[in-house]
Amino acid sequence: MSPFGQLGNVNVSLLQNKQEAALALAHINFDFSLVKYEAPIEFQGLGASLSKQRKKEAEDGSTHLVARKLGALFESDLPVVKSLTQAYGRRVTEIAEMPSVNPKGTKSDGAFADLVGADGTTIWAAATSGHGVMAIHLLACILARIWSRSEAVSIWEELVEQRKVILAQEVENASTFPASVLRASRIDLSRDQLANWDAGARAWLRTADEAKKLQQTQLKLVIDNISLSVSEQANVYSSVMKTWTNALSAINKIVEGQPQRIQDGGILLALSSWHLYPDMSVFDKESHIIMQNDALIPQGGMISLGLQNNRGSPDDGVWWSLPLAHMRYYGEPIVSTRNSGVGNAQVTFDQFLFVALGSVLSTWDVPAHNIEPAMTVIMHLGNVYGNFDNRRSKTKVYRRAKWLRPLSRISHAFTSLPTEDREELRRLIFFGMRRCPKLFGEAGSYLSPVFGLTNIQLILGSMLTMEDKINLLRHWAAYCNANLEGALIRYRSNGPLSVFHLTTLYPTKQPDSKRKRHSKKPQQSEVYQTWSEQETANGQWIGDQVLDSGILEVSAEPTSESFSRQIPAYETKLRSSVRDQAHPWDQLNERPSGARPSDPNYELFFGNPADIAIFRPKSRKGEFKRVCNHLDVVHLLRLAESGIISYERLVVVLLEVVTSRKQFADYFDCLDVLARADELYAHLL
């Protein structure tokens, strides 16, 4: 007999007609808490781990009453899933016996000792309310996984309301009917009771997700790379009942060792909600076998599915759309759509920081498959910022860049993980890059990549020695891939006189006096040729002077004697063109003043003629590219690793940018709010 077949003082299982039903109904005692059942052996471990308060609530309190009532409402429409119930019982017992997620309350916890640890109250209430009631808890987990609390409670209200109408119609239209149907049609459940039932499922999901983090992450990565509808039906009751019963039947077969082909998003949603992990055969461009090695799934219980993305968004996963009539008191039902993707997921604050990091990287032109260099740069900037002396750390300028700390911390957390463990965090970063590019401001409020530090003019300005500047321009010229054959670097030396020097942008080949053994031809070395030109205070040319050696050599000293004959030709062409000309500087730089551009042979290609600049022959074809004003993140990292630029200087420049660039104030203010929130959460932990 059904656990809900006994009806207080009514000892018959069938009522013969409406008059008899009405007479019996007048004397029915609807006390659902009187009947309790022994929990299946698979759930006994969970019961032993519950605190006294939670166990009492599950067996005698309102949670037990709700479980009994919901079981009475739906038990006649649910399939028998004995294998699934047993497997789920073993899984919850396994999780409940893990001290890492279910610690015991101690005296130091005071009045909250009974609330410490995993909350399995609703599971134990279902286990002690009859065999069919566990399916009610499983539905609660499905709804809690994808819907918000208010939406899930609204769905529960509509399910209860529609189910009571269906049962009442059965009583009205049938000449004979089970007494349990009559009783179920008169059940009353408040919104608060349904909300507590939903809250119990959500509490358990958080615990189980943490306990089975590795398998859950693997399953989540697969689900988020597909786009499957949970149900196409628009009616709430029909959609939920079909999804629920299909998932119960399919996963019951899986735990019995029967393979299943998945074409229904509801089954995947149920697997992630019930923490059961069959091996997966995933078909995309080629077949992949993903082994989960779940001891509760026998050999053969594999699922096969194809990666689909019909909706065009990589963040959707499985999705469900329903018109919710109980979301508001008046008006038409609200059509709500939810998906299992990261956009609807609950995240910790540290996980949110990864989304924020993705938003920052979205303007850096960083390829999605290679975000590690950008994170390495942020990490080093943060390390240098954190190592500044205490005197500087008390200044207002220093505090304006404290957002580097959380960004650097999570970058370090990401890069320190093994490659295979980064996928879950990478998914959060990608979500921030794709879906949250305006988290810190509208387009136009952002600086160039790396907070403006990839701007070649800013980098030049941060360097202390002319040798470093020359070396940087040579690397930059190779990076921007411009046609600069024959180009020269002109730079000003320090001293009482305004002395300019010239050096070749690219090395030239010079004969080497040494020959290798068994070699008939003399060897050649690549060297940079360097010479000087002198100016008076009023800018008139007074002569030429050949330097004795090159500033930056590749492999040998230049032969200045042979090269000196070429100097007048270079200088004649440069004397006019070194004066002020239009050049590709962006808004972060001021245009210097100077004399007339008149020489047709050379033109200013890049830089500041008053300090250091590249000039190229005008006969060279091809226009310079404005994109060359900025390095990409990878090249910035290479320059830092090679010692051409230092992170210390970059941080100093960053502090100047933060305080002086008013057009980007909103962007840095938003980053500052992120830093304040990070400090707040750190104090709460």
Side-chain angles (χ1 to χ4, degrees), residues 15-36:
L15 299 180
Q16 299 299 322
N17 52 52
K18 299 176 186 178
Q19 291 80 9
E20 191 176 350
L23 180 62
L25 195 58
H27 301 284
I28 290 177
N29 178 12
F30 291 101
D31 190 354
F32 284 88
S33 64
L34 289 179
V35 181
K36 288 187 286 291

Side-chain angles (χ1 to χ4, degrees), residues 142-317:
I142 290 178
L143 297 180
R145 173 67 75 191
I146 195 169
W147 297 100
S148 69
R149 183 184 179 188
S150 60
E151 290 168 336
V153 174
S154 296
I155 292 172
W156 275 113
E157 280 192 300
E158 195 155 348
L159 287 177
V160 170
E161 181 181 283
Q162 290 296 317
R163 185 61 181 167
K164 287 168 64 177
V165 170
I166 291 172
L167 294 178
Q169 288 175 348
E170 289 184 12
V171 173
E172 181 71 21
N173 298 330
S175 58
T176 61
F177 48 85
S180 58
V181 173
L182 175 61
R183 182 177 66 172
S185 68
R186 308 291 296 182
I187 283 175
D188 179 53
L189 283 164
S190 69
R191 185 178 179 89
D192 286 343
Q193 288 177 314
L194 295 173
N196 289 335
W197 183 255
D198 172 75
R202 292 177 189 275
W204 176 254
L205 286 180
R206 287 192 293 270
T207 298
D209 287 348
E210 181 63 27
K212 307 300 292 183
K213 188 173 183 178
L214 179 61
Q215 295 93 329
Q216 193 72 12
T217 299
Q218 183 64 71
L219 179 59
K220 183 73 172 172
L221 291 173
V222 173
I223 293 176
D224 286 351
N225 278 285
I226 68 173
S227 183
L228 280 176
S229 172
V230 172
S231 174
E232 298 290 347
Q233 298 189 29
N235 180 271
V236 171
Y237 182 83
S238 300
S239 177
V240 173
M241 291 300 295
K242 182 179 179 181
T243 299
W244 185 17
T245 55
N246 285 353
L248 289 171
S249 299
I251 299 180
N252 188 69
K253 292 177 181 178
I254 291 172
V255 298
E256 289 177 347
Q258 301 179 41
Q260 297 290 304
R261 182 181 179 184
I262 304 300
Q263 296 178 312
D264 182 354
I267 298 175
L268 293 174
L269 182 62
L271 286 171
S272 71
S273 305
W274 303 343
H275 301 92
L276 297 170
Y277 308 103
D279 297 336
M280 294 176 283
S281 178
V282 180
F283 299 95
D284 191 8
K285 294 180 180 179
E286 56 186 27
S287 177
H288 304 277
I289 303 297
I290 300 175
M291 305 299 293
Q292 293 279 58
N293 300 316
D294 191 338
L296 298 180
I297 309 295
Q299 187 175 5
M302 175 180 285
I303 63 172
S304 57
L305 65 155
L307 293 184
Q308 307 174 45
N309 209 347
N310 300 327
R311 300 184 73 189
S313 172
D315 302 310
D316 280 347

